[in-house]
Amino acid sequence: MARFHIPPPALPTPRLRGRGWRSWRGPRTWAGVDRRPPPVRRGRSRRHASASALGAQPGSHPETQRPSADPGPYPCSSPCAMDWQPDEQGLQQVLQLLKDSQSPNTATQRIKLKQLNQFPDFNNYLIFVLTRLKSEDEPTRSLSGLILKNNVKAHYQSFPPPVADFIKQECLNNIGDASSLIRATIGILITTIASKGELQMWPELLPQLCNLLNSEDYNTCEGAFGALQKICEDSSELLDSDALNRPLNIMIPKFLQFFKHCSPKIRSHAIACVNQFIMDRAQALMDNIDTFIEHLFALAVDDDPEVRKNVCRALVMLLEVRIDRLIPHMHSIIQVCMAKASADGQYMLQRTQDHDENVALEACEFWLTLAEQPICKEVLASHLVQLIPILVNGMKYSEIDIILLKGDVEEDEAVPDSEQDIKPRFHKSRTVTLPHEAERPDGSEDAEDDDDDDALSDWNLRKCSAAALDVLANVFREELLPHLLPLLKGLLFHPEWVVKESGILVLGAIAEGCMQGMVPYLPELIPHLIQCLSDKKALVRSIACWTLSRYAHWVVSQPPDMHLKPLMTELLKRILDGNKRVQEAACSAFATLEEEACTELVPYLSYILDTLVFAFGKYQHKNLLILYDAIGTLADSVGHHLNQPEYIQKLMPPLIQKWNELKDEDKDLFPLLECLSSVATALQSGFLPYCEPVYQRCVTLVQKTLAQAMMYTQHPEQYEAPDKDFMIVALDLLSGLAEGLGGHVEQLVARSNIMTLLFQCMQDSMPEVRQSSFALLGDLTKACFIHVKPCIAEFMPILGTNLNPEFISVCNNATWAIGEICMQMGAEMQPYVQMVLNNLVEIINRPNTPKTLLENTAITIGRLGYVCPQEVAPMLQQFIRPWCTSLRNIRDNEEKDSAFRGICMMIGVNPGGVVQDFIFFCDAVASWVSPKDDLRDMFYKILHGFKDQVGEENWQQFSEQFPPLLKERLAAFYGV
């Protein structure tokens, strides 16, 4: 049974199987473009570098504790009143702490800080330094405020009321400090207090801040607006709730008044505040939406880049949530004249070329968002001639990009990776799926690319432009090419490598949407791209790898010697490139080629394995993880063809060496275990010499994780929660072993406690653990049911409970496992039918159920009916129609065979259950290409029995409803 990995939420990581993004497959040379950062409230990290070391973990606030050590002469005065004054000696001690804290060595300061936090009025000193000690330098004052902010986050609820009141009053009294840094720090402190549930307990805050907006003093107005902007970012939902009497009803109109303020900073704050409420469709904003849009247009030509950026951001969000209000103005948004542009200039087109890259990026978001709207084609068609060159131009690396990417470094393979180069790796559990007609198995549609660019991991203009072009290509298809092809020729053969590289990126970006239109040019372009794999610039070589992977499907469709062999040869050379970025891009591209080519690669396996194994000794840490993926994908793609002594001898020693080097708690085990799972499945009996230590370690990983979880549950204050990914990936490798070794796994299972562990895993609170548990249960059921059968009475209620489509992958694997158990249990399944049948029927009738879950549910219902027809047949009418439509596209295989035998047996018991939907049954029968003879006879008897029962005339009328192809197939195969 093929398996795929459900794509996760998008993370910008190197391409690793089973982790994909929605539609955009970004090049290996820049960060993944699965989704741009959503244009909603942009939460900020307001932590000061020094403050993180100092104030992140103050001890519990001890009104009830005294310090364990005397921190020195520090007052313990009563922090009780607004006239609080510091003790001079204590103040000097705090100032010294703040000075020392700005040095790199903070260990001693952490201890000192923890001691000082024992005193109830320490926080009074911090606010005093921030707001009143203006003789001190600004960084020291700001640091004092940031330490206080961390204390507020950690234990504000324990502050004595007089301390809390003093801090709040000082914040409001000093929000207009002459220093912008201090104003910003006070604003951060205010919103931190507000986020601790204090908006309700601080009723004067919002009215006072709104009143301060009217101040004629710029600093006061700006400071109040800065604080309000942070509150809007952090508490937007609360501001639009009845809990606070909906203050937005006053705040939104107030903010709109400041769109015309003389200060650009104030105008920018005002737009940013309102922008926080667009995505949530706050009613107060919706009531003022026309005024808001009108004010935005008025600011479209503002001189200040921050204002322009926020205007663009607002328009992008409005495009997503209130396009109805923008449609009347769409022409204006695209074509509004600019004060400093020519009379026929377009606003968004101009903004996308703004000198300020932040403005250009926000404007580029507009095209990306518009491309996803139904009106895109209608409103953009006439502007493509201007827009396409702008997007293409935005896809060039900037000078700063090249510096960050070390674009002038050609060979760096000997440079060890730093730990920050290695992005967190998350394993995705196995999910059982079925092969379809005209599709490759293995769920490759879900194994899309997922890339990163360590130095450029943030969303930027290059990535946004490329993503916009990709989505537009999917909207306009071949209509885009007349605007692109003239540009492409100049780009692809340009003497400057930066321009040439952007052309290769353009070619990759349009691959999905414009594939049909590009086909005539590919015989010339593919050889050129293969030639680019040898370019002297590493960034050109790496982008060529990615773009070629986007056309891999077409390459594989041609005669092998024409493009596949040259491409494979050059990619393998690039896998051994001297540049780490090229290695990564080539490895990822080759994995994509493997998925497309499958068994076409079998003649070249020796050469491929030589290259991949050689890379083991060459790669640094990061690329080694991607190499595991390429090897695992190769095993998935060529399957049992890998089970040759020559290949096993090449491949297994380096894998086992890595396996032995890694400790149980090393997260590098994740990709290695995934790789070994694929290899074990492909090698089948060829994996036997290596299976015992691998099996035992997997069992140990599961056992350790369960033990850690139990200790954490019982004593959370003493133990850390375990990383359950270790257990998940071990369960998945055990599945791979069971699937690959088949009956050979029986002795390993017999000598272990895996069934006891599996019983615990199946009840784990984490869905991914249950998902992998049920996959393993199904594989063990097929491989060694003798060990599963004694547990069935305990397992079946758990399986029934997990038939919950809210957790799709868990439900899917539980359903599949039940089907496998049916085939082993036979009539002994009867006591458990009612435990699962109603849930299965509910799932198959549920609207919007994913295809994979529908298919597995239909198979399992059919198998239940096969072994217990008397129990299942009475419900036939409730599921026959969705059952037939779910299985009509499945390839002929054993699962389909057993399910259709079941449905035929149920029709024999309850023929009336199929009458109303008999046409769907006919269609499902016709989906078979070559059923086994006895199954064909079952179909024949049912079809002719129905025809004989209704009579020739009625049958003729009935068969007139059939589509021509269905009528032909039934007549040809079954004579009806």
Side-chain angles (χ1 to χ4, degrees), residues 252-370:
I252 293 289
K254 183 87 173 175
F255 294 153
L256 290 172
Q257 293 173 14
F258 286 85
F259 277 41
K260 298 178 181 177
H261 197 275
C262 59
S263 162
K265 187 75 180 286
I266 302 297
R267 295 197 298 274
S268 181
H269 275 316
I271 305 168
C273 283
V274 179
N275 283 358
Q276 299 304 322
F277 305 99
I278 297 175
M279 298 305 291
D280 291 335
R281 303 171 189 257
Q283 191 55 49
L285 177 56
M286 295 303 105
D287 292 342
N288 292 275
I289 194 72
D290 292 326
T291 306
F292 177 45
I293 291 172
E294 183 184 325
H295 283 27
L296 288 175
F297 287 159
L299 292 173
V301 294
D302 200 280
D303 291 336
D304 185 77
E306 194 67 21
V307 172
R308 297 199 301 272
K309 183 183 80 174
N310 282 329
V311 169
C312 289
R313 186 175 293 174
L315 291 171
V316 169
M317 290 189 280
L318 287 168
L319 202 55
E320 291 199 34
V321 302
R322 287 308 303 264
I323 194 170
D324 59 310
R325 280 292 192 264
L326 287 190
I327 286 174
H329 308 283
M330 196 61 71
H331 188 69
S332 302
I333 293 170
I334 296 175
Q335 288 205 346
V336 156
C337 298
M338 294 179 58
K340 294 189 176 181
S342 58
D344 60 347
Q346 289 92 1
Y347 175 61
M348 277 298 178
L349 291 170
Q350 294 285 349
R351 289 284 67 80
T352 311
Q353 303 172 88
D354 201 286
H355 294 303
D356 187 296
E357 184 169 327
N358 290 323
V359 180
L361 173 58
E362 291 295 338
C364 193
E365 291 270 10
F366 179 84
W367 310 116
L368 183 52
T369 306
L370 181 59

Side-chain angles (χ1 to χ4, degrees), residues 76-82 84 119-124 160-164 166:
C76 192
S77 55
S78 171
C80 57
M82 294 305 159
W84 181 90
F119 291 99
D121 59 352
F122 174 54
N123 293 303
N124 282 15
V163 172
F166 182 55

Side-chain angles (χ1 to χ4, degrees), residues 440-674:
R440 295 184 311 282
D442 302 322
S444 55
E445 65 185 18
D446 293 280
E448 296 191 28
D449 299 339
D450 202 1
D451 301 288
D452 92 320
D453 187 317
D454 34 26
L456 291 178
S457 57
D458 292 332
W459 186 247
N460 61 20
L461 182 61
R462 169 181 163 92
K463 286 176 254 181
C464 190
S465 300
L469 185 62
D470 174 52
V471 182
L472 287 170
N474 277 283
V475 172
F476 287 95
R477 302 283 174 180
E478 286 68 43
E479 295 172 39
L480 210 63
L481 293 180
H483 308 290
L484 258 178
L485 290 177
L487 297 172
L488 260 178
K489 189 166 185 180
L491 296 172
L492 290 171
F493 298 93
H494 200 281
E496 288 184 37
W497 76 264
V498 176
V499 179
K500 178 180 179 179
E501 192 276 347
S502 71
I504 299 172
L505 171 57
V506 168
L507 195 58
I510 64 169
E512 186 180 309
C514 300
M515 178 62 79
Q516 287 306 112
M518 288 303 297
V519 165
Y521 307 98
L522 292 181
E524 181 184 347
L525 283 172
I526 294 299
H528 175 67
L529 289 172
I530 292 173
Q531 199 175 353
C532 289
L533 290 174
S534 304
D535 195 274
K536 64 180 183 179
K537 295 300 292 186
L539 290 175
V540 174
R541 298 197 299 276
S542 61
I543 198 64
C545 289
W546 174 74
T547 293
L548 280 161
S549 75
R550 298 273 281 177
Y551 291 95
H553 185 70
W554 181 84
V555 167
V556 170
S557 71
Q558 306 302 301
D561 288 342
M562 189 174 292
H563 300 298
L564 175 60
K565 195 172 178 182
L567 173 57
M568 181 192 68
T569 304
E570 287 304 314
L571 276 180
L572 289 171
K573 288 180 185 175
R574 296 287 66 81
I575 283 175
L576 302 180
D577 198 276
N579 182 275
K580 292 192 288 188
R581 186 178 306 281
V582 179
Q583 293 172 0
E584 177 187 344
C587 234
S588 293
F590 195 74
T592 303
L593 185 65
E594 289 169 341
E595 289 172 336
E596 294 289 349
C598 294
T599 53
E600 295 277 349
L601 297 178
V602 170
Y604 316 108
L605 269 175
S606 185
Y607 178 38
I608 292 169
L609 288 171
D610 284 340
T611 303
L612 297 180
V613 168
F614 190 83
F616 266 110
K618 189 180 178 75
Y619 277 13
Q620 298 295 336
H621 186 186
K622 179 183 176 185
N623 287 349
L624 198 57
L625 307 184
I626 300 166
L627 180 62
Y628 294 145
D629 173 55
I631 292 170
T633 306
L634 179 68
D636 290 337
S637 300
V638 301
H640 66 88
H641 296 284
L642 202 58
N643 187 11
Q644 298 292 332
E646 175 199 353
Y647 303 151
I648 295 171
Q649 191 51 45
K650 288 177 190 281
L651 180 60
M652 289 308 299
L655 285 176
I656 294 300
Q657 182 186 343
K658 294 294 180 187
W659 168 265
N660 290 329
E661 287 173 3
L662 294 176
K663 296 179 180 177
D664 283 353
E665 52 277 0
D666 193 326
K667 291 194 177 184
D668 285 2
L669 272 176
F670 296 169
L672 178 55
L673 284 166
E674 284 181 355

